[in-house]
Amino acid sequence: QLFKPLMMAVLVLLACLFVSVNDRDKTSLLKLSRGFIIGIVVYFLMEVVIRMVAFSGFSVIYATLLPIILVCIIINFAILHFYQA
């Protein structure tokens, strides 16, 4: 429960990929709904992976931080490379 704020921060980074600054764009609703679905899927996958790693013998702290750090690295990579243009 102590690492829930970190997980929320990672999901906020994920949400940054789907923010549209153009209000007149007709695909903004599609982009927003895609981001919502991907966010829910990532959240549930992180919960499952945390429990799988914790029950496989890892330390609870490492089992909690490992998926959060991996998702954070992947999202930062996506933000840096998809928005270079």
Side-chain angles (χ1 to χ4, degrees):
Q1 293 296 343
L2 292 175
F3 294 105
K4 291 287 184 178
L6 284 175
M7 191 179 307
M8 187 182 95
V10 168
L11 291 175
V12 167
L13 278 176
L14 178 68
C16 290
L17 286 173
F18 299 99
V19 171
S20 177
V21 292
N22 190 0
D23 292 334
R24 296 175 187 240
D25 190 13
K26 296 186 185 212
T27 62
S28 63
L29 183 62
L30 176 66
K31 194 174 184 182
L32 183 65
S33 61
R34 189 182 315 151
F36 182 73
I37 291 170
I38 290 174
I40 290 174
V41 168
V42 167
Y43 176 77
F44 284 122
L45 284 176
M46 284 177 59
E47 288 289 328
V48 168
V49 168
I50 286 171
R51 280 166 177 65
M52 283 174 47
V53 174
F55 289 127
S56 69
F58 272 90
S59 171
V60 176
I61 294 175
Y62 293 134
T64 306
L65 287 177
L66 183 66
I68 292 173
I69 290 171
L70 287 177
V71 171
C72 186
I73 289 170
I74 291 169
I75 292 170
N76 282 326
F77 177 79
I79 289 174
L80 290 175
H81 289 287
F82 289 142
Y83 288 119
Q84 277 187 346

